[in-house]
Amino acid sequence: MPAKTRSKKTTTTTKSATTTKKVASASAKPTEEVSKTAKKVEPAQKDTTTKTAAKKTTAKKVTPAKKTTAKKSAEPKTEAKPAVKQATLETAKPATKKVEAKPVATKTAEVKPATKKVEAKPVATTAKKPAAKKTVTKKATAAKKAPAKRATAAKAANKKVAAKKATTKKTAKKPVVNTAKTEQYNSFAMDTCFEMARAMGVNMDYENYASLLLDNADIDALTKKVLDDFHVDTKAFTFEKDGYDTDLIRVIFDRVADTVDIKASDFEQIGKDVKAHASYTIKDDATVNNEEYQKEFDIVRKVLMIAQRKNIHQSADLVELIKVDVTDMIQTFMDLAYHVLPLFEYDDVKYYENFIFAVLSQLDDLHQKWGTRALMDIADLYIKHGDYGQGDANYNYVLRENQIKDMIYYRFANVYVDIDLDKAKAIANSAFQYVDDRYDYYPKLIEILEK
């Protein structure tokens, strides 16, 4: 009887050896065939589980077979080694532990998805997972859930960072300047401040600062621009050591802004004023008209300054800055000036002449539209103030420079009707060398002659 048991043992070893050889030969094929060999190994595993004594002997004897098969399988392809070793290891593991048929079925089911990739590593990892205990599967599921927790934690962290950024934007404030230091800077003369700024490398004068104030309403941004343009190191100068620092530049901008007539921060209000006064109608009250003239004069002066500083020569380009067209406003201003200036001083007429021609010379489109009218308006004002020589000279100039003369002759003659009727008729009569009944103002010239 003992001799029989030995023969059975030898037969089982030979069978396991043959099965491992088959597995080794099949390892060179695609991974789909590996799953078939795994199925063939299952009966051998069931036979070994029937007896505990056989389990121990088969486990010991199968192990050498693994090594020999590994050496043989190394010859065809190096990639197949992990698959063969893993398959043999899996056949050995069930021999040491009681494993039901259902988990074995899960082995073959999970090996199949590995056919998509020829590499052996994915097969090895999928073969290990089914052989694990229930506790291992719980760990695996926990491991799967862990990235989600990390992702949510990362999202939460991102939300916190975003919230911090949002709060920093909301709570961001302008740099606080030392009050005592600012008062000290303000106590200095402007020229002294300019010299201290030059000592830091900022070579600018009053006009340079005033010009920049027309470009931007944000003084902090202007200060940064100046320091960047002149490459001034903010840490190179200290108030305690040098008596000045880069905060001086902002103080200079503030002081210049208080003294200039116009700056970028005024553009919005200027636009509102232009729009409000463009629709003014002349009243019977001379005082009201005079006050309105002063207001409109100041508004047009600011418009002129903007155009000059910004080198603007078309009224349409001013719209980009003050958000309104100035054409109607300037026309209203000229009408009002013509109405009120006969009651003003003679010098006021001269002042208005210089001013209105500065405006029209700056804005080319308005000069083309109202240049001739402005000359005749001023000529009338001179004549009404008794300066007939200057008034006549202006009219004679306009007559020489224009082809259509009926309107010009009518205005020239009409201004003298209440001053010198004979001269008015003489001017009207001289018009007929150029004007006949085809012209619009011919009837009006006849009316002057008939007075």
Side-chain angles (χ1 to χ4, degrees), residues 282 286 289-290 293 335-344 381 385:
I282 297 173
N289 292 333
N290 293 343
Y293 172 77
D335 294 340
L336 185 59
Y338 187 78
H339 182 79
V340 301
L341 284 177
L343 303 176
F344 280 38
L381 292 172
H385 277 276

Side-chain angles (χ1 to χ4, degrees), residues 31-60:
T31 54
E32 289 180 355
E33 294 182 4
V34 175
S35 63
K36 292 179 181 180
T37 55
K39 289 180 180 180
K40 291 180 181 179
V41 176
E42 289 175 5
Q45 291 173 353
K46 289 179 181 179
D47 293 336
T48 54
T49 53
T50 53
K51 293 181 181 181
T52 56
K55 291 175 187 177
K56 293 179 181 179
T57 54
T58 52
K60 290 179 180 179

Side-chain angles (χ1 to χ4, degrees), residues 241-415:
K241 181 180 178 181
D242 303 303
Y244 49 81
D245 57 12
T246 54
D247 291 338
L248 174 64
I249 306 301
R250 192 188 193 288
V251 175
I252 292 175
F253 272 117
D254 286 331
R255 294 182 65 177
V256 173
D258 293 337
T259 59
V260 294
D261 294 324
I262 187 67
K263 51 188 179 295
S265 58
D266 300 330
F267 290 169
E268 184 179 356
Q269 185 59 46
I270 292 171
K272 292 179 180 179
D273 293 339
V274 168
K275 187 176 181 180
H277 291 268
S279 59
Y280 179 81
T281 55
I282 297 173
K283 307 294 191 298
D284 294 333
D285 191 341
T287 304
V288 175
N289 292 333
N290 293 343
E291 291 175 355
E292 179 64 21
Y293 172 77
Q294 298 296 340
K295 292 178 182 178
E296 292 189 11
F297 188 97
D298 188 58
I299 295 169
V300 177
R301 181 179 62 85
K302 291 179 180 178
V303 170
L304 174 61
M305 291 180 64
I306 295 172
Q308 289 175 337
R309 298 288 180 87
K310 292 291 187 179
N311 196 27
I312 294 173
H313 295 282
Q314 297 292 326
S315 60
D317 295 336
L318 284 169
V319 178
E320 297 179 3
L321 299 177
I322 63 176
K323 310 305 179 185
V324 66
D325 189 2
V326 299
T327 304
D328 295 339
M329 168 68 197
I330 294 175
Q331 184 178 10
T332 301
F333 171 67
M334 292 175 69
D335 294 340
L336 185 59
Y338 187 78
H339 182 79
V340 301
L341 284 177
L343 303 176
F344 280 38
E345 298 294 331
Y346 176 79
D347 290 340
D348 294 326
V349 176
K350 294 181 70 68
Y351 192 84
Y352 171 75
E353 178 185 15
N354 295 330
F355 177 71
I356 195 61
F357 278 119
V359 174
L360 297 179
S361 298
Q362 184 67 34
L363 301 173
D364 297 336
D365 57 324
L366 299 186
H367 185 275
Q368 185 178 2
K369 187 175 183 180
W370 294 323
T372 301
R373 179 213 162 159
L375 281 170
M376 292 187 291
D377 284 353
I378 293 168
D380 289 348
L381 292 172
Y382 277 130
I383 292 170
K384 290 179 179 181
H385 277 276
D387 190 350
Y388 306 126
Q390 186 65 44
D392 293 351
N394 282 7
Y395 267 114
N396 290 327
Y397 173 80
V398 175
L399 287 169
R400 288 194 305 269
E401 296 297 323
N402 289 273
Q403 297 298 322
I404 301 174
K405 305 179 185 297
D406 61 327
M407 184 266 294
I408 301 170
Y409 270 111
Y410 169 73
R411 285 198 58 171
F412 191 10
N414 188 61
V415 72

Side-chain angles (χ1 to χ4, degrees), residues 58-346:
T58 52
K60 290 179 180 179
K61 291 179 180 181
V62 170
T63 305
K66 293 174 189 175
K67 293 180 180 179
T68 55
T69 54
K71 290 178 181 180
K72 290 179 181 180
S73 61
E75 295 176 359
K77 290 184 180 180
T78 56
E79 294 180 358
K81 286 181 181 180
V84 175
K85 288 180 180 180
Q86 191 60 41
T88 54
L89 286 172
E90 292 301 326
T91 55
K93 284 180 181 179
T96 56
K97 295 178 183 180
K98 292 182 181 181
V99 181
E100 294 179 1
K102 290 181 181 179
V104 175
T106 57
K107 288 182 184 179
T108 57
E110 292 189 6
V111 172
K112 287 181 181 180
T115 56
K116 293 180 181 179
K117 295 183 180 179
V118 183
E119 294 180 1
K121 288 181 180 180
V123 177
T125 54
T126 53
K128 286 180 181 179
K129 288 180 181 178
K133 294 180 181 180
K134 293 181 180 180
T135 56
V136 177
T137 56
K138 289 180 180 178
K139 290 179 180 179
T141 54
K144 289 180 180 178
K145 292 179 180 178
K149 291 180 180 179
R150 289 178 183 176
T152 53
K155 289 180 180 178
N158 291 332
K159 288 180 180 179
K160 289 180 179 179
V161 173
K164 288 180 180 179
K165 288 181 179 179
T167 53
T168 53
K169 287 181 179 179
K170 290 180 181 179
T171 57
K173 295 181 179 179
K174 294 180 180 179
V176 179
V177 180
N178 190 313
T179 305
K181 181 170 58 176
T182 303
E183 291 177 354
Q184 184 70 24
Y185 288 148
N186 287 328
S187 66
F188 296 144
M190 287 295 294
D191 291 338
T192 304
C193 293
F194 293 148
E195 289 299 325
M196 289 190 293
R198 290 189 185 97
M200 290 188 291
V202 181
N203 189 16
M204 292 174 59
D205 57 13
Y206 181 90
E207 292 299 327
N208 298 135
Y209 287 100
S211 179
L212 288 175
L213 286 168
L214 280 170
D215 296 333
N216 195 339
D218 189 351
I219 292 180
D220 289 328
L222 291 175
T223 302
K224 184 179 183 304
K225 182 181 183 303
V226 169
L227 295 176
D228 291 342
D229 290 346
F230 287 95
H231 307 289
V232 179
D233 185 4
T234 56
K235 297 180 181 179
F237 304 92
T238 60
F239 181 76
E240 293 76 11
K241 181 180 178 181
D242 303 303
Y244 49 81
D245 57 12
T246 54
D247 291 338
L248 174 64
I249 306 301
R250 192 188 193 288
V251 175
I252 292 175
F253 272 117
D254 286 331
R255 294 182 65 177
V256 173
D258 293 337
T259 59
V260 294
D261 294 324
I262 187 67
K263 51 188 179 295
S265 58
D266 300 330
F267 290 169
E268 184 179 356
Q269 185 59 46
I270 292 171
K272 292 179 180 179
D273 293 339
V274 168
K275 187 176 181 180
H277 291 268
S279 59
Y280 179 81
T281 55
I282 297 173
K283 307 294 191 298
D284 294 333
D285 191 341
T287 304
V288 175
N289 292 333
N290 293 343
E291 291 175 355
E292 179 64 21
Y293 172 77
Q294 298 296 340
K295 292 178 182 178
E296 292 189 11
F297 188 97
D298 188 58
I299 295 169
V300 177
R301 181 179 62 85
K302 291 179 180 178
V303 170
L304 174 61
M305 291 180 64
I306 295 172
Q308 289 175 337
R309 298 288 180 87
K310 292 291 187 179
N311 196 27
I312 294 173
H313 295 282
Q314 297 292 326
S315 60
D317 295 336
L318 284 169
V319 178
E320 297 179 3
L321 299 177
I322 63 176
K323 310 305 179 185
V324 66
D325 189 2
V326 299
T327 304
D328 295 339
M329 168 68 197
I330 294 175
Q331 184 178 10
T332 301
F333 171 67
M334 292 175 69
D335 294 340
L336 185 59
Y338 187 78
H339 182 79
V340 301
L341 284 177
L343 303 176
F344 280 38
E345 298 294 331
Y346 176 79

Side-chain angles (χ1 to χ4, degrees), residues 7-23:
S7 61
K8 288 179 181 180
K9 291 178 182 178
T10 54
T11 55
T12 54
T13 54
T14 54
K15 286 180 182 180
S16 62
T18 54
T19 54
T20 52
K21 286 179 181 180
K22 289 179 182 181
V23 172

